[in-house]
Every structure is written in structure tokens, then in C-alpha cells.
Amino acid sequence: MIQHTVVLKLKYPKGSPEEKEFLSAVAELAMIPGVLNFQSLRQIGKKNDFDYCLSMEFENMTAYEAYNAHPDHTRFVTTYWAKYVEKFLELDYAPI
Amino acid sequence: MIQHTVVLKLKYPKGSPEEKEFLSAVAELAMIPGVLNFQSLRQIGKKNDFDYCLSMEFENMTAYEAYNAHPDHTRFVTTYWAKYVEKFLELDYAPI
């Protein structure tokens, strides 16, 4: 099992229409085949300036790569990610 | 519920005795009162150079602060964290 996470900061302030649009678009990623345990989380730590985290699990690397290449994902990246996200960090986890 | 995570890079290479010592010490943090769903994870993403993630949950901020102040935690920080960790990033999450 692989947990894929992306922690991010939006270009738009909390409570803005753009934030709402972005989070609605994010929620649809959960429907892409192979995505398990999808979560949108608020980053609340004071020691960094990220606002959100998207977290999802994949059974294996094949499922992860299929998600990355899926047209709903690539469309999300060009339509929303590239326009709404100021900075981000991808962190992927596997059991030790 | 609050999820507290710390992603980190060790000063020592994978497979070293120091890595093993560090991971053994980390595992004992799970025993501190208030810590739920403790996990030590390997960071496998190629887009950053962190090696591990410690993840745990707390019922609320009071439990989180009690963990931070607990002598077993502060002793771990001075005995292991300060000596073994090259860099780290704390990321804390709450439901949106």
C-alpha cells in the first residue's frame, strides 16, 4: 500500500470563491479508479505555511501511475492545480 | 481529531546502526498517553529527500500539548532527535 500526499498553499485566501471551487474539484479526484481512502485535510500546524493536504492510498505503484496518467487527473492538474496552487510538496509513504 | 506528522531526513545512511537505534527509540513514542494510531513510515517519493515520516493522532489540542510536554517525549527530542535528524518538517492536519 502506498499513501500519496500533497501538501499545498493556495494563491487565494481562506473563504474565497476560488478556494471553494478548488476544493470541489479536488473532491472529484476520489472517483478516479484505484484511489482509496481519499481525504482533503486542513493543515493547522504553525511551523509552516501550507493550507491543505490531499491524501490518498493506492494498492501498488501500477495503480498510482494509472491515477497520474488518468485524463480526469491530468485535466485537474491543467485546469485547477496550475492556476490555483502557489506552492506544494509531494510526500509519499510506504510501511517500513 | 488532529493528525500530527513529522517528515524527516536522518544524518545517517539507510541500513546504518544509527538508523536502527533511531527507529527503535521512535517506536516508544507510541506508548506516551494520548497518542493514537502511531505509525512510522518510509518516505518513498522521488520529488523530495525526506526519508521517514512519524504520524500520530490526538483526540484534541490538549492531548497534543500533553504529549509535547511529556518527559518521555522531551527526553526523546534531546537524546535522539537533536543528534540524529538532519532536517525535518512538521505538518499537522484536521478535517476540513
Side-chain angles (χ1 to χ4, degrees), chain A residues 8-12 18-19 22 51-52 84-86:
Chain A
L8 65 107
K9 181 174 172 59
L10 286 179
K11 291 177 184 171
Y12 302 98
E18 291 86 354
E19 179 197 53
F22 179 80
D51 297 324
Y52 293 102
Y84 288 62
V85 173
E86 184 176 311

Side-chain angles (χ1 to χ4, degrees), chain A residues 5 15-16 20 33 37 43 53 57 60 66 70 73 81 85 88:
Chain A
T5 74
S16 62
K20 199 174 167 185
N37 299 326
Q43 200 295 121
C53 179
E57 294 180 8
N60 52 40
H70 192 283
H73 176 252
W81 198 268
V85 173
F88 67 97

Side-chain angles (χ1 to χ4, degrees), chain A residues 42 44 47-48 90 92 94, chain B residues 42 44 47-48 90 92 94:
Chain A
R42 189 178 301 280
I44 59 167
K47 298 179 186 171
N48 68 77
E90 290 188 55
D92 294 341
Chain B
R42 189 179 301 278
I44 59 168
K47 297 178 186 171
N48 68 77
E90 290 188 56
D92 294 341

Side-chain angles (χ1 to χ4, degrees), chain B residues 6-8 11 22 26 54 75-88:
Chain B
V6 193
V7 61
L8 66 107
K11 292 177 184 170
F22 180 80
V26 157
L54 316 185
R75 190 163 42 237
F76 168 80
V77 170
T78 52
T79 309
Y80 290 97
W81 198 268
K83 293 176 187 161
Y84 288 62
V85 173
E86 185 177 311
K87 69 170 196 171
F88 68 97

Side-chain angles (χ1 to χ4, degrees), chain A residues 78-91:
Chain A
T78 52
T79 309
Y80 291 97
W81 198 268
K83 293 176 187 160
Y84 288 62
V85 173
E86 184 176 311
K87 69 171 195 170
F88 67 97
L89 174 65
E90 290 188 55
L91 296 160

